[in-house]
């Protein structure tokens, strides 16, 4: 079968209709309470959109090559996630002052521990060792450390405001610094040192795009997939919001704190990236998985905080970004373990499992603080 036939989302393929169906279900259920049966149907539409998003992201990655392909899904999800956060904060409901912090931190822990750990575990499963480029992965993780420290840790210790929040000038500095770090990272990843971020073979030599993805799809197929990817991601994030009251009821029934709702929604929103990264890892392209994990973590902070900083004068609630002591400890543990895992350029399943344990600890403590 030709590359064109392989990648074209034909009229009868479920990957074409799942995003459209998800958008239709979103339009029909937005702002309404969901009976039990309808909630099940919405959940099914959500997971169909998730799987379709993964497919179309891989088509685009096959067209544009790495590492640009890994950036597409990370930035698309993050932009829509930012829109969701801004919409909820503009509502002025109780608790929205910590919404950005809780959502960004949940995304951070899921990406640097969950996605990275799962992919190292899967990548090392059949081959004994997961191999990746330490120069590129270490640079990406250094960027994550920097923006996380600036935006999520420092507000807890500054004295300009009484709570864990920045003053306007401090928030502006953190926003400009974050977007500057992310912009320089993208430039380094895609232009200046692209070879640091491409997948490697068992001997540590870079793979070219055809080795990594197979024959590239046509430009038309890639553009169609780009459009369907956007529709699918809007459906994923929107349906997660539609399901949030049902999730809140389930969280209440389980006796968990309401802040755990943010963890569940973050897990759903990041599911397309998780599945795409796992597919890369199973194919022996762990570097692609790490590009996606660390790029998503950096984009989540580097795009969210500047956007909220620009909109903060128009928001009715303060913006509390500083983490509590328990979360700072978890963040430090995660970053130290991540650095020790990445610097060697190869890792065993044990290293991946350690990262997954840190994610499990975060989720457990979010439910039982």
């Amino acid at each position: 079968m030709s590359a064109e036939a392989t990648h074209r989302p034909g009229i009868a393929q479920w990957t074409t209709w799942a995003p459209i169906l998800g958008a239709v279900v979103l339009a029909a259920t937005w702002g309404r309470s969901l009976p039990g049966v309808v909630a099940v149907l919405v959940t099914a539409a959500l997971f169909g959109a998730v799987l379709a998003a993964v497919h179309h992201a891989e088509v685009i990655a096959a067209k544009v090559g790495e590492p640009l392909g890994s950036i597409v899904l990370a930035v698309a999800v993050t932009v829509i996630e930012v829109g969701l956060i801004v919409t909820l904060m503009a509502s002025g409901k109780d608790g929205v002052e910590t919404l950005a912090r809780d959502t960004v931190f949940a995304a951070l822990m899921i990406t640097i521990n969950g996605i990275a750990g799962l992919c190292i575990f899967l990548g090392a499963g059949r081959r004994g060792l997961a191999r990746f480029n330490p120069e590129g992965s270490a640079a990406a993780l250094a960027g994550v450390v920097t923006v996380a420290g600036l935006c999520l840790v420092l507000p807890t210790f500054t004295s300009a405001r009484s709570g864990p929040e920045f003053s306007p000038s401090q928030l502006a500095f953190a926003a400009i610094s974050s977007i500057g770090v992310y912009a320089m990272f993208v430039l380094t990843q895609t232009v200046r040192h692209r070879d640091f971020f491409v997948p490697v073979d068992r001997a540590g030599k870079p793979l070219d795009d055809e080795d990594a993805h197979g024959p590239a799809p046509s430009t038309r197929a890639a553009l169609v997939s780009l459009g369907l990817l956007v529709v699918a991601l809007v459906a994923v994030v929107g349906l997660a919001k539609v399901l949030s009251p049902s999730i809140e009821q389930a969280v209440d029934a389980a006796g968990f704190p309401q802040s755990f709702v943010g963890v569940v929604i973050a897990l759903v929103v990041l599911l397309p990236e998780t599945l795409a990264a796992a597919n890369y890892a199973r194919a022996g392209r762990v570097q692609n998985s790490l590009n996606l994990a660390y790029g998503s973590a950096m984009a989540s902070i580097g795009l969210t905080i500047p956007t909220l900083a620009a909109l903060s004068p128009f928001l009715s609630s303060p913006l509390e970004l500083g983490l509590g002591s328990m979360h700072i400890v978890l963040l430090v543990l995660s970053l130290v373990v991540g650095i020790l895992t990445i610097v060697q350029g190869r890792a065993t399943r044990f290293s991946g499992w350690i990262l997954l344990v840190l994610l499990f600890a975060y989720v457990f403590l979010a439910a039982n603080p």
Side-chain angles (χ1 to χ4, degrees), residues 172-241:
F173 174 79
I176 294 171
S177 299
S178 297
I179 201 168
V181 168
Y182 183 67
M184 183 58 69
F185 168 70
V186 172
L187 178 65
T188 301
Q189 189 181 35
T190 58
V191 180
R192 300 292 295 178
H193 297 285
R194 178 181 177 275
D195 55 312
F196 285 0
F197 298 91
V198 296
V200 296
D201 59 20
R202 295 186 181 184
K205 296 181 179 179
L207 296 171
D208 60 32
D209 290 338
E210 186 164 338
D211 290 333
H213 290 289
S218 68
T219 300
R220 177 181 178 278
L223 289 174
V224 171
S225 281
L226 178 61
L228 290 172
L229 173 63
V230 173
V231 174
L233 293 176
V234 170
V236 169
V237 178
L239 292 174
K241 175 63 174 68

Side-chain angles (χ1 to χ4, degrees), residues 168 171 306-317 319:
L171 181 60
T307 301
L308 293 176
L311 296 176
S312 59
F314 308 101
L315 298 176
S316 58
S317 59
L319 185 60

Side-chain angles (χ1 to χ4, degrees), residues 22 43 46 58 113 117 150 158 178-179 208 221 244 268 272 287-288 294 296 308 312 329 368:
T43 302
L46 185 150
E58 291 177 344
N113 289 326
L150 282 174
T158 55
S178 297
I179 201 168
D208 60 32
S244 60
V268 173
Q287 182 63 53
N288 293 14
Y294 297 145
S296 296
L308 293 176
S312 59
V329 170
N368 300 275

Side-chain angles (χ1 to χ4, degrees), residues 214-296:
S218 68
T219 300
R220 177 181 178 278
L223 289 174
V224 171
S225 281
L226 178 61
L228 290 172
L229 173 63
V230 173
V231 174
L233 293 176
V234 170
V236 169
V237 178
L239 292 174
K241 175 63 174 68
V242 168
L243 285 170
S244 60
S246 300
I247 296 173
E248 290 174 359
Q249 294 174 7
V251 167
D252 282 337
F256 296 157
Q258 276 301 302
S259 59
F260 190 75
V261 174
V263 177
V264 176
I265 293 178
L267 286 168
V268 173
V269 170
L270 289 170
L271 191 55
E273 290 168 292
T274 303
L275 293 177
N279 288 341
Y280 286 142
R282 282 192 292 266
R285 293 178 272 141
V286 177
Q287 182 63 53
N288 293 14
S289 302
L290 295 178
N291 290 346
L292 194 52
Y294 297 145
S296 296

